[in-house]
Amino acid sequence: MAASRRRSRLTAVAAALATAAVTAGLTTGCDAVNKALDCVQTADSIADSVTDLQQAVENAGDDPTQADASLDSIEKNLDKIGDKTDDADVNKAVDDLSKAVGNVRTAIRNGDPAPDVSPVTDAAGELTKVCTS
């Protein structure tokens, strides 16, 4: 039992030291870390909106306004990311996704009952990738 307690204490001390080291490192780059977290969180919200968009397109006959609402949500989140980053890769991914969303919106307005949303899905995946790299 004494060995088990000692191991637990050593583990707790090691964890505390690791936390202190990480915290010290983060305070020097706090703004960059916060921007990255914002990017990841917003990309996650966009992924949810893309899923909603896919479902809305599949159910367009039931409620055609769902697709517009999903597109609006994606665009709102894209604005959030665009306002918070100066990273060229993130900005390119945001632009690509914005263009894909615009194309789907145009297709819907032109009467396409089932527009191809795969470019939106692909662009959202790329955004998630650049936010997490």
Side-chain angles (χ1 to χ4, degrees), residues 105-118:
R105 190 179 299 280
T106 299
I108 290 170
R109 285 185 182 149
N110 289 338
D112 187 346
D116 180 13
V117 297
S118 62

Side-chain angles (χ1 to χ4, degrees), residues 22-131:
V22 168
T23 302
L26 290 179
T27 57
T28 59
C30 194
D31 285 343
V33 170
N34 284 337
K35 285 182 180 180
L37 287 174
D38 286 342
C39 185
V40 169
Q41 290 169 344
T42 306
D44 187 48
S45 294
I46 289 172
D48 290 342
S49 296
V50 169
T51 300
D52 292 344
L53 174 63
Q54 290 170 326
Q55 291 173 351
V57 168
E58 288 173 12
N59 301 323
D62 297 334
D63 185 1
T65 62
Q66 284 182 347
D68 266 339
S70 297
L71 292 169
D72 290 345
S73 177
I74 293 168
E75 287 175 332
K76 179 180 173 187
N77 284 313
L78 286 175
D79 289 342
K80 284 182 190 178
I81 292 176
D83 291 344
K84 292 182 180 181
T85 187
D86 56 359
D87 182 279
D89 292 335
V90 172
N91 283 328
K92 181 179 180 334
V94 166
D95 289 345
D96 291 347
L97 182 50
S98 182
K99 182 180 176 183
V101 166
N103 290 340
V104 170
R105 190 179 299 280
T106 299
I108 290 170
R109 285 185 182 149
N110 289 338
D112 187 346
D116 180 13
V117 297
S118 62
V120 173
T121 304
D122 294 345
E126 183 62 25
L127 177 60
T128 300
K129 182 176 146 189
V130 298
C131 281

